[in-house]
Amino acid sequence: MPHLDPFTIPEFHLPFDDFKDPSADRANAEATAWAVDRGLIDAAAEQFAGIGFGHLAARVSRGASYQDIVLLAEWMAWSFVLDDQHDLLIRSGRLDGWRPVSEAITRYVTDGRTDKTAACRNLLVDGFVELCDRILAGMPPGTGDRYRAHVPRMLRSLDEEAANRRPGRLPAIDDYVLTRRHSSQLLPMMDMVEAALGIDVPAEVHASPAFQELTWSAIDVISWGNDVFSLPKEYSCGDTNNLAALIAAWHGWSLPKAVEAVEERIHARVDDFMAGVRGLPRVLDALGVTDPAARTAAARSVRCYEDWMIGADLWQRYDCTRYRDERFAAGLEAAYTRPDLVSAA
């Protein structure tokens, strides 16, 4: 890869009120302990805790119980391990080890098969099985159905990102944007927050193009902002799954200019989101949604998206050491990554 040109992380000027539950430190410690106890982390636990998943959970769970904040933090801890483990398998050329993990998770979440003996042969899958049972137990049917669909799509997006990293491969920007919406792993977490807050948006509302666009605009804002924060690591190790890196490559631009382009895209997506919020009452009218509870649920779901956008940005800036770590910025594996995790019993 060419030399990494210095750039400044922009202020994205997200026009939303920030919130952070005071239990953030406690939730972070508890989620770290959970990951260590389940064997997902066996070294450098302090560095792992520096990711600040408990802080992110506390920023996006306005009004949730402490138990639900911890559950979300544990899921986030698991998802960071999943992401790092997948990255390690790509780098080491051992992607054949990924398929059994992905298939076991998909099988468990989609059809409810409880062959836990087979699933628990892998600690990563074992952690998922435990979390999945706890998550689905607290979800209304509609939200649970979405969660069951979102997890396999998330896993497929990681396969797409692995394909993007083949030598000589440079994905089209629009294709990457579609993949990134799922590889962000945001949709299952958003499902969890809605369930924790008792938000049950009718299926016809969730599936409507206008509401989907609201969701995608929020996820794009979060994902593209994360691409800027993680750009040094991904650029350094030749990972093309980054919007700024792709813009620079396709247009022949410097990284600072590409980062400015991402900032402009984020501002445009925020405008899209705000327009969608203003138009939501008309969308509900057109769908024939007159039940006040259903309309309130839709409005509350959109309010959660605002917490996600501002919360993720502030978490990356102030709570998370991951993107400031010298090993990470140099494109190296984290010290807590377990090379044997996929085969660990």
Side-chain angles (χ1 to χ4, degrees):
M1 293 291 288
H3 177 70
L4 177 65
D5 296 326
F7 66 92
T8 299
I9 295 177
E11 294 287 343
F12 295 122
H13 304 293
L14 305 175
F16 311 117
D17 296 330
D18 66 290
F19 166 84
K20 187 177 180 181
D21 191 280
S23 67
D25 284 325
R26 181 182 165 200
N28 200 68
E30 193 165 334
T32 302
W34 177 87
V36 172
D37 183 67
R38 295 333 185 254
L40 301 177
I41 299 296
D42 66 353
E46 185 176 351
Q47 183 194 62
F48 182 67
I51 295 173
F53 24 78
H55 292 266
L56 178 55
R59 286 189 180 277
V60 301
S61 302
R62 187 191 303 252
S65 70
Y66 176 70
Q67 289 75 18
D68 285 322
I69 292 173
V70 170
L71 179 58
L72 179 59
E74 290 171 349
W75 171 266
M76 289 175 172
W78 177 85
S79 72
F80 275 107
V81 174
L82 178 81
D83 193 53
D84 288 337
Q85 187 66 33
H86 186 248
D87 184 57
L88 175 62
L89 293 175
I90 292 173
R91 294 183 192 218
S92 60
R94 296 192 293 124
L95 269 175
D96 286 347
W98 172 251
R99 185 172 299 278
V101 173
S102 179
E103 289 178 348
I105 292 172
T106 298
R107 183 170 57 249
Y108 192 79
V109 74
T110 54
D111 65 17
R113 276 190 265 172
T114 55
D115 185 7
K116 292 189 180 182
T117 301
C120 290
R121 287 187 302 225
N122 180 280
L123 294 173
L124 195 59
V125 178
D126 188 13
F128 173 80
V129 168
E130 177 195 335
L131 291 171
C132 184
D133 286 348
R134 292 163 57 197
I135 290 166
L136 288 174
M139 282 186 168
T143 310
D145 288 345
R146 287 191 290 273
Y147 173 84
R148 288 186 177 93
H150 288 153
V151 170
R153 182 63 185 89
M154 174 190 84
L155 295 171
R156 291 197 302 273
S157 73
L158 296 181
D159 292 335
E160 293 165 8
E161 289 200 339
N164 289 343
R165 292 172 68 172
R166 293 171 183 163
R169 166 77 172 157
L170 190 67
I173 292 173
D174 289 345
D175 291 342
Y176 167 73
V177 166
L178 297 178
T179 293
R180 187 70 171 100
R181 289 174 175 177
H182 298 280
S183 67
S184 67
Q185 305 190 36
L186 287 165
L187 283 170
M189 294 188 285
M190 288 174 166
D191 296 333
M192 291 178 65
V193 171
E194 287 194 6
L197 298 179
I199 300 172
D200 191 8
V201 178
E204 65 271 19
V205 175
H206 246 297
S208 68
F211 198 89
Q212 284 286 297
E213 179 60 19
L214 261 172
T215 304
W216 295 138
S217 61
I219 288 177
D220 287 345
V221 167
I222 300 165
S223 301
W224 301 348
N226 179 257
D227 279 0
V228 173
F229 280 93
S230 62
L231 177 58
K233 180 258 189 182
E234 285 149 5
Y235 193 81
S236 295
C237 68
D239 186 351
T240 57
N241 293 293
N242 184 289
L243 182 58
L246 283 177
I247 289 175
W250 278 109
H251 295 286
W253 292 350
S254 68
L255 283 183
K257 184 175 180 180
V259 168
E260 290 178 2
V262 173
E263 181 183 12
E264 292 172 1
R265 284 179 174 237
I266 288 174
H267 290 165
R269 288 307 265 156
V270 170
D271 289 344
D272 292 340
F273 177 84
M274 300 301 289
V277 172
R278 292 190 296 272
L280 183 58
R282 294 190 298 276
V283 170
L284 297 177
D285 290 343
L287 291 171
V289 178
T290 58
D291 179 12
R295 295 177 73 96
T296 297
R300 291 182 66 201
S301 178
V302 170
R303 180 67 181 82
C304 286
Y305 293 160
E306 296 178 4
D307 286 342
W308 272 104
M309 284 185 279
I310 189 66
D313 182 73
L314 295 177
W315 161 72
Q316 291 170 129
R317 292 181 191 277
Y318 304 117
D319 303 325
C320 179
T321 62
R322 181 179 179 88
Y323 306 111
R324 299 190 298 271
D325 184 87
E326 291 182 359
R327 289 179 59 90
F328 186 86
L332 302 175
E333 289 292 337
Y336 55 77
T337 302
R338 285 192 59 175
D340 64 336
L341 184 59
V342 162
S343 59

